[in-house]
Amino acid sequence: MNPSSSSLFGKLLAGRGSRQGLWLLPLVIALAMALWLAAATSQFGQWSNLANLVAQGMPLLITAVGQMFVVLVGGLDLSIGSVVSFTTAILALDLPGVITLPGVFLLAALIGATNGYCITRLNVHPIVATLSMQYVVLGITRVLRPVSGGAVPDGVRWMVEGTFLGLPLPVFWGIATILLAWKLLYGSRYGLHLFAIGGGVASGSSDAARNFGIPASRNIMLAYVICSLFAALAGVFLAGRIVSGDPNVGLLMELDAITAVAIGGTQLSGGVGSLHGTIIGVAVLALLSNGMNLLNVTPFVQTAVKGVLLLAVVALQSRKKIGL
Amino acid sequence: MSAFVSSPLFRRISKVPPSYYLLAALLVILFVARPQMLNANVLGVFVRQVVPLGILVLGQLLVMRVKSIDLSGGGIILLINYCISSGIFPGASLGFYVALALATGLAIGLFNGLMVAKRRVSAVIVTLALSIVLVGFVQYLSSGKPPGDVPKIFGELFNTRFIGLPSPVLFWIALTALMALLLSQTVFGRFVAAVGESMPAAHFSGVPVERTVILAHTLAGLMAALAALVQTASIAVGSVRVGLDLPILSVAATILGGVVFGRGEGGVWGPFFGVLCFAFLFVVMTMFGVGDAGKLVAQGLIILLAAIFYGLRAGK
């Protein structure tokens, strides 16, 4: 069915047989976009625009990196958009930041653990479990804060708006996110286990990893906790940027995160993907929206182009599984 | 807990889709609290509102039976609504619009099916991406502003009644019966069950797996087109936001009806009652003064409990 070409093209451009998936083509797309934007508009290369690009893309980067962890084990988390909104709502409660800041991460971990428990122990499909969690968390958020408002602790605001070593702080949020994910994925036994579990799930035998002594349920649960924690981190960042709580700020963010992860070559059947691919996927989406704004293209065309790009990139990735 | 799960009582209880229990409970609550609401006229109006969702569910359950998913329904509904309400086909007849809608749904469904079964792309991504493209396309065409009015004939058809029931509801029931026949009486129905059970086993038994998946997606596209026609008739004006939450809701109603990815104990009527549950759930909660936020929480918990109910059984 799928021509198993072992040519250089097949290996590099289509990412065949690779554990990292197809990431070279998206990288070429991202670089081409950046070069073209730099040539076509004078504002793109300006310092303020680049700082803006990083700050705008940061919530997507943080959520996409989290999403990648669950996608690698063949899962999906649709609840992260709600977790982001929920986090901003908690931070905008009239409470000192010493309580709310650890609180949001604790609650996010609880949400992630519930997702993971339902999926691994109660045998609920990830789409179903996280979809219901999305409704529940969004409902609670709207009780806490029906419309946007409230004030976020000054510390949170400073963490996003300030500068350090002459660079805007969002840059450091990005570096910290990437380093943390790198350590988890490539610098620990846990990351290796994730790829092993995902590979087993993708090949249709979910027991494969367990037969090698890897505790699959526990590791999958941890992946959902990590995903929720990253979503909470994105929520803290956004709260610092909008300086209030907003029940709708995270709306549809989960779909953007999945889009970025998929563009970066991580396959939804699990086991294949990479951190640099996800970062490239985020860069493609961020450049797309930034570039179209600079070129004064209506946001509606942006949406359509994003969809076409996603279709084109995933159509090039080959896998065996039919379905989800 | 595990003793209870493996007990004969639980096995018998869990044979029946959760939607049956929930619907019975909701009707009892309605009967106790507002007996005057339990007549065909009032209920007909409530049920009429969920007909587009109900038709979309017929397609969704088909693709979920073959371990796939279709999230492109929202885009299809938006596109067809735009074609009808924007007046880009001046003077077109009802028949033309119906043909246009069906052709659109068929083409999009076929595309989904080919991408999922032949190109082997993740169904979540393909149908999601297609929905993004369609939504962006419609918003671009309309510059984000609501298009014009829907031709009057749609509204008139929507408001007709036969033997005391609103005709959209009858249409929905007829379609559901057709789908039930398709799944129980035809070879295609057998293929769907076999593919859902195990794709490799179906393949080695000579079941055309790819063709079955393609056909399931094509039919889902067709159902989305029919849902779009009813939805357009029901709101009578054009909109650039209509129907966007329907695909996700249709997944939820299907699960409530006892059909999960690959397994279809709930048949076709389970999800049918799942949709009715959503209709009455909102009525009951509005009656007790539960706000939108509370409705979201209740909706999420009900879907989760229904899925856990099924998951426990599958785990045994």
Side-chain angles (χ1 to χ4, degrees):
Chain A
M1 259 158 268
N2 290 311
S4 56
S5 88
S6 57
S7 64
L8 194 65
F9 170 81
K11 274 198 179 126
L12 275 181
L13 273 185
R16 273 191 200 111
S18 155
R19 177 183 264 192
Q20 301 185 332
L22 170 77
W23 59 268
L24 200 62
L25 182 69
L27 179 64
V28 172
I29 294 176
L31 288 178
M33 279 165 79
L35 284 176
W36 180 57
L37 281 172
T41 66
S42 54
Q43 303 111 297
F44 177 75
Q46 277 171 15
W47 193 238
S48 62
N49 181 57
L50 289 179
N52 200 19
L53 180 69
V54 170
Q56 276 178 350
M58 197 50 56
L60 178 62
L61 176 71
I62 302 172
T63 49
V65 164
Q67 185 73 259
M68 176 190 65
F69 278 88
V70 294
V71 172
L72 278 179
V73 290
L76 205 59
D77 192 341
L78 298 176
S79 67
I80 56 176
S82 293
V83 173
V84 169
S85 306
F86 180 62
T87 304
T88 66
I90 298 269
L91 285 176
L93 288 176
D94 211 3
L95 290 170
V98 201
I99 300 172
T100 50
L101 217 44
V104 291
F105 288 106
L106 209 65
L107 288 168
L110 190 68
I111 292 170
T114 313
N115 279 336
Y117 185 81
C118 289
I119 291 159
T120 56
R121 305 283 173 183
L122 300 179
N123 226 350
V124 179
H125 194 279
I127 292 180
V128 183
T130 58
L131 174 66
S132 8
M133 190 53 80
Q134 179 195 345
Y135 284 138
V136 173
V137 176
L138 189 61
I140 297 171
T141 307
R142 291 206 173 144
V143 173
L144 287 174
R145 189 154 290 289
V147 288
S148 69
V152 168
D154 282 341
V156 174
R157 190 175 161 186
W158 179 84
M159 282 195 294
V160 176
E161 286 185 347
T163 54
F164 180 67
L165 298 175
L167 285 171
L169 278 179
V171 174
F172 294 97
W173 281 69
I175 294 172
T177 303
I178 292 169
L179 285 181
L180 184 64
W182 189 274
K183 174 71 187 153
L184 281 169
L185 206 56
Y186 300 114
S188 74
R189 194 158 28 168
Y190 175 68
L192 209 55
H193 285 178
L194 280 189
F195 278 104
I197 295 166
V201 171
S203 66
S205 58
S206 46
D207 285 344
R210 215 179 55 201
N211 293 343
F212 286 103
I214 297 171
S217 295
R218 203 173 66 205
N219 283 327
I220 292 176
M221 232 167 111
L222 193 54
Y224 282 93
V225 173
I226 290 172
C227 180
S228 276
L229 286 175
F230 272 112
L233 190 66
V236 174
F237 182 87
L238 267 174
R241 252 175 91 78
I242 59 177
V243 215
S244 61
D246 187 344
N248 296 322
V249 71
L251 219 58
L252 299 182
M253 229 178 213
E254 63 277 355
L255 298 186
D256 275 341
I258 296 168
T259 305
V261 169
I263 286 183
T266 302
Q267 295 203 356
L268 264 77
S269 45
V272 174
S274 64
L275 178 61
H276 52 273
T278 303
I279 299 167
I280 292 166
V282 172
V284 168
L285 289 187
L287 283 170
L288 191 67
S289 91
N290 182 265
M292 291 210 165
N293 283 339
L294 291 180
L295 296 169
N296 279 327
V297 182
T298 72
F300 308 127
V301 177
Q302 258 181 54
T303 317
V305 170
K306 194 165 82 180
V308 170
L309 195 68
L310 179 59
L311 264 181
V313 171
V314 292
L316 282 174
Q317 307 174 356
S318 61
R319 63 173 200 176
K320 288 210 178 89
K321 195 186 161 204
I322 295 182
L324 301 170
Chain B
M1 174 122 153
S2 63
F4 171 68
V5 167
S6 51
S7 71
L9 179 68
F10 178 82
R11 303 202 133 245
R12 188 160 301 169
I13 293 175
S14 64
K15 272 243 162 60
V16 181
S19 57
Y20 287 56
Y21 296 115
L22 185 62
L23 186 64
L26 287 169
L27 286 177
V28 169
I29 294 173
L30 263 183
F31 180 72
V32 172
R34 296 277 193 288
Q36 70 276 19
M37 277 171 90
L38 281 184
N39 66 60
N41 267 334
V42 180
L43 291 187
V45 172
F46 289 138
V47 173
R48 199 175 66 171
Q49 289 169 349
V50 294
V51 170
L53 175 64
I55 297 175
L56 201 58
V57 160
L58 293 176
Q60 192 70 262
L61 74 92
L62 199 56
V63 289
M64 278 171 71
R65 285 286 297 273
V66 293
K67 286 190 181 146
S68 191
I69 196 170
D70 188 354
L71 300 175
S72 65
I76 296 178
I77 291 176
L78 202 60
L79 178 65
I80 292 173
N81 176 273
Y82 179 81
C83 286
I84 295 175
S85 61
S86 63
I88 47 172
F89 302 106
S93 65
L94 180 66
F96 172 79
Y97 282 128
V98 173
L100 178 75
L102 293 183
T104 309
L106 208 64
I108 293 171
L110 184 65
F111 176 79
N112 282 338
L114 287 174
M115 286 295 267
V116 171
K118 288 279 182 203
R119 202 44 239 174
R120 308 263 164 128
V121 185
S122 156
V124 178
I125 297 293
V126 173
T127 58
L128 180 68
L130 205 57
S131 198
I132 295 174
V133 172
L134 292 176
V135 170
F137 180 60
V138 169
Q139 288 184 333
Y140 166 68
L141 287 179
S142 61
S143 317
K145 289 189 287 284
D149 289 333
V150 173
K152 278 207 172 51
I153 177 125
F154 279 93
E156 284 161 9
L157 266 179
F158 186 74
N159 284 322
T160 52
R161 278 170 177 275
F162 277 109
I163 49 171
L165 283 170
S167 37
V169 177
L170 287 175
F171 180 58
W172 176 31
I173 295 174
L175 269 183
T176 311
L178 269 180
M179 185 61 77
L181 283 177
L182 180 72
L183 283 178
S184 65
Q185 302 297 321
T186 65
V187 178
F188 172 68
R190 297 294 167 91
F191 284 172
V192 167
V195 169
E197 203 64 50
S198 162
M199 271 185 205
H203 174 71
F204 288 120
S205 315
V207 173
V209 174
E210 291 186 357
R211 213 201 308 152
T212 307
V213 174
I214 293 173
L215 195 52
H217 268 287
T218 311
L219 284 175
L222 210 55
M223 288 299 153
L226 289 174
L229 286 173
V230 178
Q231 179 81 61
T232 303
S234 78
I235 57 171
V237 289
S239 163
V240 286
R241 307 205 59 80
V242 58
L244 289 183
D245 56 342
L246 283 185
I248 288 288
L249 271 179
S250 73
V251 175
T254 308
I255 292 156
L256 202 57
V259 175
V260 270
F261 300 102
R263 298 203 327 280
E265 286 99 334
V268 172
W269 296 103
F272 177 86
F273 286 113
V275 174
L276 284 184
C277 283
F278 276 142
F280 291 124
L281 190 65
F282 285 111
V283 174
V284 167
M285 284 198 289
T286 310
M287 208 168 72
F288 287 111
V290 180
D292 280 344
K295 282 176 188 164
L296 276 174
V297 174
Q299 207 179 330
L301 286 179
I302 287 172
I303 301 164
L304 188 61
L305 288 176
I308 289 175
F309 183 77
Y310 262 82
L312 282 179
R313 233 185 89 207
K316 289 299 117 188

